[in-house]
């Protein structure tokens, strides 16, 4: 996942970046509330790890302004405040999860991955991304004017990618979402099905719709070339 880490303790921010990178994520660090607001509102992230105590603008205010502005990026808040009232403030302001300092890095990574998987699919009979249009009930894919037949698994995999175009999915997460395997991931199977989708969708394309992000996983381009 592309993750914005907002933490003014430079040493802790560095530890967070290394742990997230080792877990297969793509973190970007900022150390200031106002910078965080501009960054989160202006660029596409899958998750924001947001500290409460920040220079110039605290995390609660950053979160409030993001939600007021219609930014629905998932937010995991970090804070030294353990009071229930502060947790309630964060969660009712639109945070998806709340972690109190000090914390175990393993717990943080578990929460990051859990929040990343927490996605409520919109009620729709059709998904669109660039030149792709997927009719869910009919399991029917159109690439422009070309109709493409999909197997059940190909459709399920493409559906995950099309629900969140631009988001990078790890092989493990795709395996879990499509094959419902929570403990043992056969990432080679994901590669096989990605290959099949590419043959059907991107056979003659100069720039493929389904792209590999090195060391991270796969993503579906948000727009057509």
């Amino acid at each position: 996942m592309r993750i914005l880490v907002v933490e003014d303790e430079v040493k802790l921010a560095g530890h967070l970046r290394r742990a997230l990178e080792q877990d297969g994520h793509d973190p970007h660090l900022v150390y200031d509330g106002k910078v965080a607001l501009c960054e989160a509102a202006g660029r596409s992230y899958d998750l924001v790890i947001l500290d409460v105590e920040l220079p110039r603008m605290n995390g609660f205010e950053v979160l409030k302004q993001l939600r007021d502005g219609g930014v629905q990026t998932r937010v995991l808040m970090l804070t030294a405040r353990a009071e229930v009232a502060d947790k309630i403030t964060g969660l009712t302001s639109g945070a998806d999860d709340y972690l109190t300092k000090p914390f175990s890095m393993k717990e943080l990574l578990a929460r990051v991955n859990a929040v990343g998987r927490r996605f409520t699919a919109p009620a729709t009979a059709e998904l669109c991304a660039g030149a792709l249009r997927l009719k869910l009930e009919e399991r029917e894919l159109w690439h422009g004017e070309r109709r493409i037949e999909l197997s059940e698994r190909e459709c399920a995999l493409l559906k995950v990618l099309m629900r969140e175009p631009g988001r990078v999915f790890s092989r493990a997460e795709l395996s879990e979402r499509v094959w419902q395997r929570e403990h043992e991931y056969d990432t080679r199977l994901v590669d096989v099905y990605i290959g099949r989708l590419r043959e059907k969708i991107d056979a003659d394309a100069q720039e493929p719709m389904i792209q590999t992000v090195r060391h991270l996983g796969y993503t579906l381009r948000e727009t057509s070339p």
Side-chain angles (χ1 to χ4, degrees):
M1 290 189 291
R2 287 176 295 186
I3 300 176
L4 178 64
V5 179
V6 189
E7 171 58 65
D8 66 324
E9 295 180 36
V10 176
K11 187 175 181 179
L12 175 57
H15 290 323
L16 288 169
R17 177 169 57 189
R18 285 189 292 275
L20 290 167
E21 287 175 341
Q22 289 171 3
D23 203 45
H25 301 291
D26 181 18
H28 176 71
L29 304 184
V30 298
Y31 309 94
D32 176 284
K34 287 193 174 182
V35 174
L37 179 62
C38 294
E39 184 73 15
R43 296 183 60 185
S44 176
Y45 288 96
D46 302 311
L47 174 69
V48 178
I49 297 177
L50 180 62
D51 189 27
V52 170
E53 299 294 338
L54 294 168
R56 297 206 294 169
M57 181 183 293
N58 70 43
F60 292 140
E61 184 60 27
V62 172
L63 177 61
K64 181 179 184 303
Q65 291 200 30
L66 286 175
R67 295 303 188 234
D68 288 347
V71 177
Q72 296 303 313
T73 306
R74 303 167 183 85
V75 174
L76 167 61
M77 300 203 77
L78 301 180
T79 181
R81 302 178 181 182
E83 290 82 1
V84 172
D86 287 324
K87 294 182 180 180
I88 292 173
T89 297
L91 294 171
T92 56
S93 297
D96 297 275
D97 203 353
Y98 201 107
L99 188 58
T100 303
K101 299 177 181 178
F103 52 82
S104 139
M105 201 62 74
K106 287 184 178 180
E107 180 181 4
L108 178 126
L109 293 174
R111 287 176 180 266
V112 163
N113 291 315
V115 171
R117 292 192 299 270
R118 195 180 302 152
F119 176 76
T120 303
T124 179
E126 186 173 292
L127 295 173
C128 296
L132 298 180
R133 183 163 51 93
L134 178 61
K135 295 183 178 181
L136 298 176
E137 292 184 4
E138 298 88 344
R139 208 172 73 206
E140 186 175 274
L141 176 67
W142 290 84
H143 189 183
E145 300 300 318
R146 180 166 60 95
R147 184 179 180 277
I148 301 172
E149 292 187 6
L150 298 176
S151 70
E152 182 178 351
R153 292 296 189 191
E154 289 168 352
C155 183
L157 179 55
L158 184 60
K159 182 168 64 175
V160 173
L161 295 171
M162 288 185 68
R163 286 201 190 279
E164 299 182 82
R167 180 185 163 187
V168 179
F169 290 90
S170 69
R171 291 171 176 82
E173 183 173 356
L174 289 172
S175 181
E176 179 180 332
R177 289 209 187 185
V178 177
W179 285 271
Q180 287 83 50
R181 295 177 178 175
E182 297 182 359
H183 303 294
E184 295 182 4
Y185 303 115
D186 187 351
T187 57
R188 293 171 299 177
L189 194 58
V190 173
D191 294 337
V192 168
Y193 275 85
I194 287 289
R196 291 179 183 178
L197 285 173
R198 281 175 166 161
E199 288 178 1
K200 294 182 176 184
I201 296 171
D202 294 326
D204 301 319
Q206 292 184 344
E207 185 178 1
M209 286 289 293
I210 301 174
Q211 298 187 330
T212 301
V213 181
R214 190 178 181 186
H215 303 311
L216 296 177
Y218 296 106
T219 186
L220 186 75
R221 282 195 299 109
E222 298 180 77
T223 59
S224 298

